[in-house]
Amino acid sequence: MLDLDFSARIRSLRATYDDIAAVLDLSRLESEIADLETQASAPDLWDDPEAAQRVTSGLSHRQARLRRVRGVEQRLDDLEVLVELATEADDAEAAAEAASELTDLEKAIQDLEVQTMLSGEYDERAAVVTIRSGAGGDDATDFAEMLLRMYLRWAEKHGYGSKVLDTSYAEGAGIKSATFEIDAPYAFGTLSVEAGTHRLARISPFGSADKRQTSFAGVEVIPLLEEATEVDVPETDLRIDVYRSSGPGGQSVNTTDSAVRITHLPTGLVVSMQNEKSQIQNRAAAMRVLQTRLLLLQREEEAAKKKELAGSITASWGDQIRSYFLYGQQLVKDLRTGHESTQPDSVFDGEIDGFIAAGIKWRSLEQASTES
């Protein structure tokens, strides 16, 4: 039957949930939803498509967050009732069900607690992620494709919307690069801790010497900003190239020049898009990402200048963040947090919540120590 430790765990969960609800300020969240619902019901909403997109996206994200929090609260209420019934009836089956639900709820509330640490200016935004293969030849391009699948599977497991915007296939295995969007509440804040260099060590499937091969891939994560459209980008600063979309190994998959590559000449930033159906759509998507990158670059430069004037430039936490070992010891280890998994197959299948949560907690502690 249920013991005192079980009851203590439930009381602890209730206290943690109450703290989370206070931090998230659910009354304010409900007020924001009501205001956005009023805006979304306006008959002239879509007269300004960009403003309409901001309203509908903001409404969708806030509704999803409130549903998630309220859903956890309801489960906690139901668990307390189930425990009371199981105790009164001395029902072993109900007790086992309660024990299983308690374990699941502990995980759900832990995830909510981590989300309260996402308070950055852009954390609540959707995310645009770019993966680029680095040193390592075919192993690196194959590794880049493994990471692409890992993040898309992570999004799928959580029910998050994802869309691949551009893929540059390698001549051999895998991909040279890929850019995709994750549309979910706090996608940027959540995935931003994945930015950096990832390292894979394994016996190469592409060589004949059965030697260990080390390869690298870089992950970039930026928020998707509606306000980025305010960045003025003169046409004279752009070089726009159109070409045919291609598949693996350079195989043509499109008979029209619908893919678009935009180069921002003053900074050298390059954005390519090929997965939309038309050249116009690809150009619009590419401009949106380019403007976001330019806005972030501008703000990073301003922040760096302020730090320089204040005489307090601090080093970043480094590029190489995680190592994946697929030979001998089967291990994935984060180099910042020490979090690890001995199930790399599960990690590459999208089971990365533990790494993300550890990264968010680590970053929060680093920020707190810097500010103190």
Side-chain angles (χ1 to χ4, degrees), residues 246-261:
S246 61
Q251 178 184 358
S252 176
V253 296
N254 197 330
T255 58
T256 61
D257 294 333
S258 61
V260 174
R261 180 186 300 110

Side-chain angles (χ1 to χ4, degrees), residues 71-194:
V72 168
E73 181 183 32
Q74 185 61 56
R75 289 176 63 188
L76 191 54
D77 292 341
D78 292 345
L79 176 61
E80 289 173 337
V81 172
L82 180 60
V83 168
E84 184 178 349
L85 292 175
T87 302
E88 290 178 354
D90 196 22
D91 187 335
E93 184 176 341
E97 181 183 348
S100 176
E101 175 64 0
L102 174 59
T103 299
D104 291 344
L105 260 179
E106 285 174 332
K107 174 64 168 59
I109 290 180
Q110 181 184 48
D111 291 344
L112 273 182
E113 189 174 24
V114 169
Q115 194 177 88
T116 64
M117 300 177 187
L118 302 178
S119 57
E121 182 178 2
Y122 306 122
D123 281 352
E124 67 177 11
R125 303 281 186 172
V128 176
V129 183
T130 298
I131 299 171
R132 296 183 180 89
S133 62
D138 285 345
D139 281 280
T141 54
D142 186 52
F143 180 36
E145 187 169 42
M146 292 164 67
L147 290 178
L148 172 62
R149 180 183 182 277
M150 179 180 80
Y151 290 120
L152 294 179
R153 285 286 291 142
W154 172 80
E156 181 184 342
K157 287 173 183 287
H158 286 278
Y160 297 156
S162 65
K163 179 169 66 173
V164 178
L165 303 173
D166 178 65
T167 309
S168 176
Y169 292 95
E171 291 299 319
I175 58 174
K176 295 178 182 177
S177 65
T179 298
F180 58 96
E181 178 183 331
I182 301 293
D183 186 15
Y186 288 82
F188 171 69
T190 301
L191 288 175
S192 58
V193 294
E194 291 293 296

Side-chain angles (χ1 to χ4, degrees), residues 24 45 49 72 81 86 104 115 159 167 204 211 240 264 270-271 280 296 321 339-341 343 363:
L24 295 180
L45 174 69
V72 168
V81 172
D104 291 344
Q115 194 177 88
T167 309
S204 174
K211 292 183 179 179
I240 301 176
H264 185 248
V270 179
V271 177
I280 293 175
L296 293 176
I321 67 165
H339 185 82
E340 61 184 44
S341 170
Q343 303 293 325
R363 182 177 60 190

